[in-house]
Amino acid sequence: MQGWKLFAVALGATAASLVGGQAVAQGKNSLVIAMTLEPPGLDPTIAPAAAIGEVVHYNIFEGLTKIAENAEVQPLLADSWTVSPDMKVFIFKLKSGVKFNDGTAFDSADVKFSFEKYAGEKSTNKRKAVFTNIASIATPDAQTVTITLKKTDPTFLFSLGENTAVITAPESSDGNATKPVGTGPYKLENWVKGDSVTLTATDTYRNASAVKMKTVKIRFIADQGAMVAAMRAGDIDAIPVGITGENFRGFEKDKRYKTTVGSTEGETMLIINNKRKPFDDVRVRRALTMAIDRAGVLEAASAGYGKLIGSHFPPHDPAYVDLTKQYPYDPAKAKALLKEAGVNNLEVTLRLPPPAYARQAGEVIQAMLSQVGINAKIENVEWAQWLDGTFKNKNFDLTVISHVEPNDFVKYADPDYYFQYDSKKAQELIAKINSTLDKAERTKALQDLQHLLADDAVNVYLYNLPRLGVYKPGLTGFWVNAPIFVNDLTAVSWQ
């Protein structure tokens, strides 16, 4: 399994004293946090945006399993499970007495409904392949689910802990994008588009007394200056993820705040449209890789926080291979490769989504490419435009983005995925990775895949996105490291 792969407090609710310009909580049960991106909807099973999971996963919606901060798979809606030796048959024993936040009961029929929906013809689930690999789902009683797979999947239990596998109910599933109904500790109180989402603790939750934060407001603040100002003014209590390295450095030096530095599954890359000329020529893609000083990009985009990568794997993964030296920064060699490929004075568009790391990295990359005769015209787009034009319709030359889902190397087996890489060898390796039970053999296949992706220069692999957190003193329970991108509020409290 691959390892780790993204609220002004109600006044008068509690007493607070002011120390060094910071509101210090005394018995508060409410919270305000900031996120950089507003999700396009609140149903993680129909859209790919990581911001959806940051709002709803483990808060409103739950799955059969839970991925802990250390990337271990733990029980959630399933109390326990047994697995056949060939890892094709999984028998889950479900928790009893669980309810959705609309008061309806959860049972095995909801599991069957959810997974069959995600595998259906109309499904837009970004992990659809996990569910189309299911041969059958049996529900002999309300608390038992038997899932039989078509092909062995060593990562199946991990996949069931991702937000694409949350359990929904037939009565409410179609409305989850705007009115989410799940089994988690919170329900949606309101969503002010362009501003914030407010979650409130629900009394239908099976362990409601353990939830310390009764109201959580998630504010969407794309502008870094505004986010920093809101934090310093005491208008927000936490920035769990999304602050730039440069701004984080200022908080790190300020003892009035608690700061954390962790790892994520976010492989930050210059994505290349492999089917668009001249990028269908591997010499051009290799030239792009050697034209970019990755250390310079890391400093500009993340103030040096994070680790350089040379393929689509995070450095903390046990199967990671350090390929950062395979294509060293060499503008002269990049020019020679472009000349060899017959490419001169290349004009391209570099499309940049809203995250600060993408915009800042894009400006540096533009300057670096100009040094080898590539004129990259920057096109800043909003998140919805990026998802539609770049991700869905594949209408782009180059773009910068962090891929944050665990095990998403499987996308290199899909020629129709937005970077449009078509390699029979990659497809064979990924099929082997997905079916091999022997740990040593699987590790070797993972490492072979990393070498292949680097050799083919599918994308320009830049750095692993760090998780930088800023908090008011006394606030505890947020994840430091992020095997998946969530803001798990279940353990958050004021001390």
Side-chain angles (χ1 to χ4, degrees):
M1 175 191 313
Q2 191 172 345
W4 304 337
K5 267 289 194 211
L6 284 127
F7 310 74
V9 177
L11 295 178
T14 57
S17 61
L18 208 64
V19 177
Q22 294 299 302
V24 179
Q26 295 180 354
K28 288 196 298 187
N29 60 7
S30 59
L31 179 70
V32 184
I33 71 173
M35 282 176 50
T36 55
L37 294 178
E38 180 173 17
L42 297 178
D43 186 347
T45 71
I46 64 173
I52 303 173
E54 289 185 80
V55 173
V56 302
H57 198 196
Y58 300 151
N59 299 326
I60 295 177
F61 293 116
E62 298 177 307
L64 294 183
T65 66
K66 180 172 184 175
I67 302 166
E69 186 183 353
N70 63 0
E72 289 184 355
V73 177
Q74 300 177 345
L76 193 52
L77 289 177
D79 259 336
S80 63
W81 52 81
T82 57
V83 185
S84 65
D86 63 357
M87 294 193 75
K88 284 187 176 181
V89 182
F90 296 76
I91 302 174
F92 296 92
K93 292 298 181 180
L94 308 182
K95 279 183 168 60
S96 59
V98 174
K99 292 184 178 181
F100 289 92
N101 60 39
D102 63 356
T104 57
F106 156 81
D107 61 22
S108 60
D110 297 305
V111 178
K112 181 178 174 66
F113 162 78
S114 298
F115 292 174
E116 288 180 346
K117 179 181 179 180
Y118 306 155
E121 184 178 346
K122 296 181 180 180
S123 170
T124 55
N125 191 302
K126 65 183 177 183
R127 295 290 205 196
K128 186 174 181 177
V130 171
F131 306 102
T132 56
N133 186 41
I134 295 175
S136 64
I137 304 175
T139 55
D141 58 61
Q143 308 308 131
T144 305
V145 178
T146 300
I147 297 177
T148 303
L149 304 182
K150 298 173 185 175
K151 297 178 181 178
T152 296
D153 181 358
T155 64
F156 186 62
L157 290 173
F158 190 94
S159 296
L160 295 187
E162 295 186 76
N163 60 38
T164 46
V166 296
I167 306 304
T168 62
E171 300 88 349
S172 53
S173 181
D174 288 344
N176 278 337
T178 56
K179 297 178 180 179
V181 176
T183 59
Y186 290 93
K187 63 182 178 180
L188 177 67
E189 183 67 25
N190 69 346
W191 182 4
V192 180
K193 296 291 182 68
D195 181 76
S196 62
V197 159
T198 300
L199 307 179
T200 55
T202 172
D203 57 10
T204 59
Y205 185 57
R206 58 192 175 276
N207 195 17
S209 62
V211 180
K212 303 302 181 185
M213 296 300 180
K214 302 306 180 184
T215 303
V216 180
K217 187 174 185 180
I218 304 173
R219 289 181 56 190
F220 307 118
I221 309 175
D223 181 78
Q224 283 283 310
M227 180 184 288
V228 169
M231 189 75 204
R232 291 200 176 277
D235 294 335
I236 56 177
D237 302 313
I239 307 172
V241 65
I243 191 169
T244 63
E246 182 179 1
N247 287 321
F248 176 80
R249 185 176 287 163
F251 285 107
E252 192 176 36
K253 294 177 180 178
D254 191 332
K255 300 305 180 183
R256 296 174 301 173
Y257 300 90
K258 184 175 86 172
T259 58
T260 58
V261 180
S263 181
T264 76
E265 280 293 330
E267 295 91 9
T268 306
M269 300 176 279
L270 175 67
I271 302 292
I272 304 170
N273 190 335
N274 280 237
K275 280 191 177 177
R276 182 167 288 187
K277 291 186 178 299
F279 305 123
D280 57 344
D281 188 327
V282 69
R283 294 171 295 181
V284 176
R285 300 196 301 272
R286 288 172 179 165
L288 287 177
T289 299
M290 287 185 284
I292 294 173
D293 177 6
R294 284 172 288 186
V297 173
L298 177 63
E299 182 61 33
S302 193
Y305 295 99
K307 294 183 179 180
L308 301 181
I309 56 174
S311 190
H312 194 121
F313 267 67
H316 52 250
D317 191 279
Y320 175 74
V321 180
D322 185 353
L323 299 170
T324 55
K325 294 180 174 60
Q326 179 162 341
Y327 296 117
Y329 178 50
D330 192 338
K333 193 167 184 180
K335 287 181 180 179
L337 276 173
L338 290 171
K339 184 177 180 180
E340 182 183 320
V343 175
N344 297 292
N345 300 316
L346 181 61
E347 302 276 340
V348 300
T349 298
L350 176 56
R351 184 168 293 166
L352 303 176
Y357 73 81
R359 301 273 170 95
Q360 292 172 347
E363 291 180 2
V364 176
I365 289 170
Q366 179 191 46
M368 292 173 179
L369 293 179
S370 70
Q371 298 302 307
V372 300
I374 298 176
N375 180 24
K377 179 183 177 183
I378 287 180
E379 181 181 318
N380 291 326
V381 297
E382 293 307 309
W383 189 236
Q385 292 175 287
W386 189 92
L387 287 171
D388 184 64
T390 305
F391 184 81
K392 181 180 177 181
N393 293 313
K394 300 178 277 289
N395 182 23
F396 75 102
D397 296 324
L398 305 170
T399 189
V400 176
I401 197 71
S402 285
H403 275 239
V404 300
E405 293 88 359
N407 301 312
D408 60 355
F409 59 81
V410 297
K411 298 299 184 182
Y412 288 89
D414 181 4
D416 196 44
Y417 196 59
Y418 78 113
F419 40 72
Q420 300 192 91
Y421 172 61
D422 192 352
S423 166
K424 184 178 180 181
K425 187 174 181 181
Q427 292 160 17
E428 291 172 349
L429 276 172
I430 290 168
K432 184 176 183 179
I433 291 165
N434 287 340
S435 61
T436 300
L437 300 181
D438 183 85
K439 184 177 180 180
E441 288 184 17
R442 190 167 188 269
T443 296
K444 184 179 184 305
L446 286 166
Q447 293 176 339
D448 288 346
L449 177 63
Q450 292 172 70
H451 281 286
L452 176 63
L453 300 181
D455 291 344
D456 285 352
V458 184
N459 296 304
V460 181
Y461 304 102
L462 299 170
Y463 66 94
N464 184 246
L465 192 71
R467 183 178 174 96
L468 307 176
V470 180
Y471 307 93
K472 283 183 180 178
L475 187 58
T476 65
F478 278 98
W479 287 10
V480 175
N481 300 298
I484 55 176
F485 269 56
V486 296
N487 289 311
D488 183 0
L489 300 170
T490 54
V492 175
S493 66
W494 293 100
Q495 289 187 339

